[in-house]
Structures are given as structure tokens and as C-alpha cells.
């Protein structure tokens, strides 16, 4: 689905599919150089990371093994609680492995902060983060992000895996959702 198929549901396209793919190619070259000795295990966080995982893994010029986790960041009622529950765990043993977490977006940073520590505690050799998008003005914790696609403003953003009520994940571009869709002001 392209932005043009959505009429007035989107305010503005922030990054087109072509821009996302071009930036991912740049990140892939950095990742290849950094992991020249041994490819990392790519760990995608469902569901939003499906698109970036599919594109990044195919762009990489080494064997990219993939595993998946599903986490809920609403443990204690609010997303900002930082309480994370594992809904689906890894299939792989990551002891002594280099792990690269693949995400669609880092918002408050709480989910990834928790996840990074969790994976480190399992004996991984290293745990780094790759995200397509980051909202610097929403960050609540100090989080080192090794590979970041684009910094974006604190708006309601959909597409390329990001949803509103489970819709818009299959939009090819990243766009700001029009406020009238979710009852916001604007
Ligand atoms: C999104 C995103 C991250 C998390 C980031 O997932 O994929 O996992 O939120 O937010 P944070 O930085 O504030 O912790 P979401 O919970 O929306 O689930 P989804 O991937 O299934 O859409």
C-alpha cells in the first residue's frame, strides 16, 4: 500500500520507501564492516520490526540468521512504566553470540533498554541495536543505538511496520497520521 492509496488519512510522508531502502543499505554496509569476523544473530521484535528485518536481512551480504521476540510494554498499565513482559521468547541460545536487535522505532527507549539488558544477562557476547526510526525528544532513558536510520519528530507515525490499531503496518512509506483519524487535534 502506498500513501496515495490512503487519501486524507495521512498528514505528511516523512520518508518514502526509496529513502528507507537507501538508508538501510548504508546501515548494512556499516554492519558488515563491524561484524567482519562473524555475522550477528538478528533479533526482531514483533510485530513492528517485520518490514525492517525483511529488508535489512536481504540487504546484508553475509548469512543473516534471524530470531524473533514478542514483548508487551504495557505491563503495569501504562507504556511508560518500563515493565516489559515476554510474550514470545527466542528459539536460539545466544550464549557467546553477537546479537543485533532489529527494531522499527525507538520511542521512550524503555522497551529496548529492558531488552538489551535481558539479552546481555543470557550471556550474549555483545548486544547492539539497529532501528529504522528514533524519536530523540521522546527518549526517557539513556540508550546507545549503534545503527539508526532516521530521527523523527514526536508525532503519531505509521507505516513500514508501525501501526494504528493494527492498521497501516503495510504502508510502504513512513508518514504522520492525520489527527482526524485518531481523534487528535491538528
Ligand atoms: C513499538 C516498537 C518498540 C516499542 C518502542 O512496539 O516496535 O518495540 O514500541 O517503544 P518505547 O521506545 O517507548 O519502549 P509496540 O509496543 O507498538 O508493538 P508492535 O511492534 O507490535 O506494534
Amino acid at each position: 500500500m502506498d500513501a496515495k492509496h490512503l487519501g486524507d488519512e495521512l498528514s505528511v510522508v516523512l520518508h518514502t520507501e526509496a529513502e528507507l531502502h537507501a538508508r538501510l543499505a548504508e546501515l548494512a554496509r556499516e554492519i558488515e564492516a563491524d561484524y567482519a569476523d562473524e555475522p550477528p544473530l538478528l533479533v526482531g521484535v514483533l510485530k513492528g520490526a517485520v518490514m525492517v528485518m525483511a529488508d535489512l536481512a536481504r540487504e546484508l551480504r553475509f548469512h543473516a540468521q534471524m530470531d524473533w521476540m514478542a514483548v508487551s510494554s504495557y505491563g503495569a498499565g501504562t507504556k511508560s512504566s518500563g515493565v516489559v513482559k515476554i510474550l514470545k521468547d527466542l528459539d536460539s541460545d545466544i550464549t557467546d553470540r553477537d546479537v543485533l536487535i532489529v527494531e522499527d522505532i525507538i520511542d521512550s527507549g524503555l522497551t529496548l533498554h529492558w531488552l538489551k539488558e535481558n539479552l546481555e544477562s543470557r550471556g550474549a557476547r555483545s548486544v547492539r541495536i539497529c532501528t529504522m526510526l528514533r524519536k530523540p525528544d521522546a527518549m526517557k532513558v539513556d540508550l546507545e543505538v549503534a545503527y539508526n536510520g532516521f530521527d523523527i519528530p514526536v508525532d503519531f507515525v505509521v507505516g513500514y511496520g508501525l501501526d494504528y490499531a493494527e492498521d497501516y503496518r503495510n504502508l510502504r512509506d513512513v508518514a504522520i497520521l492525520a489527527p482526524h483519524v485518531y481523534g487528535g487535534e491538528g
Side-chain angles (χ1 to χ4, degrees):
M1 185 166 69
D2 302 317
K4 66 172 184 282
H5 298 125
L6 286 168
D8 67 353
E9 293 173 48
L10 306 175
S11 300
V12 59
V13 173
L14 287 180
H15 296 289
T16 64
E17 180 182 38
E19 288 168 0
L20 296 169
H21 285 177
R23 182 69 185 121
L24 268 186
E26 291 175 354
L27 294 180
R29 301 294 85 79
E30 285 181 41
I31 292 167
E32 287 156 3
D34 292 349
Y35 293 93
D37 292 342
E38 192 179 335
L41 173 69
L42 305 183
V43 170
V45 186
L46 297 168
K47 306 173 192 165
V50 166
M51 307 300 174
V52 59
M53 177 71 111
D55 287 337
L56 176 66
R58 286 179 294 180
E59 181 62 42
L60 286 167
R61 295 166 184 167
F62 54 53
H63 291 290
Q65 295 185 3
M66 290 171 249
D67 204 340
W68 300 91
M69 286 184 78
V71 298
S72 157
S73 44
Y74 295 85
T78 67
K79 190 163 185 174
S80 58
S81 67
V83 178
V84 176
K85 195 166 106 187
I86 296 178
L87 304 177
K88 185 232 169 284
D89 208 342
L90 295 176
D91 296 329
S92 336
D93 179 359
I94 57 169
T95 310
D96 294 330
R97 289 203 71 173
D98 294 308
V99 172
L100 182 58
I101 302 172
V102 177
E103 260 291 19
D104 51 338
I105 189 164
I106 295 174
D107 200 317
S108 69
L110 290 168
T111 306
L112 269 288
H113 185 265
W114 182 91
L115 189 58
K116 186 168 186 286
E117 284 194 352
N118 180 280
L119 298 183
E120 283 167 350
S121 76
R122 303 183 194 198
R125 184 161 53 205
S126 69
V127 180
R128 287 184 182 158
I129 296 167
C130 175
T131 186
M132 190 73 254
L133 304 166
R134 178 175 64 178
K135 288 181 175 174
D137 294 339
M139 295 281 286
K140 291 189 174 150
V141 283
D142 204 20
L143 184 68
E144 190 179 330
V145 178
Y147 311 100
N148 176 41
F150 296 105
D151 282 336
I152 58 169
V154 185
D155 288 304
F156 203 133
V157 169
V158 294
Y160 202 65
L162 290 160
D163 75 307
Y164 168 60
E166 297 298 327
D167 284 338
Y168 301 95
R169 292 194 197 273
N170 62 322
L171 169 63
R172 293 177 188 275
D173 317 301
V174 170
I176 297 176
L177 191 62
H180 72 83
V181 175
Y182 59 92
E185 294 182 9

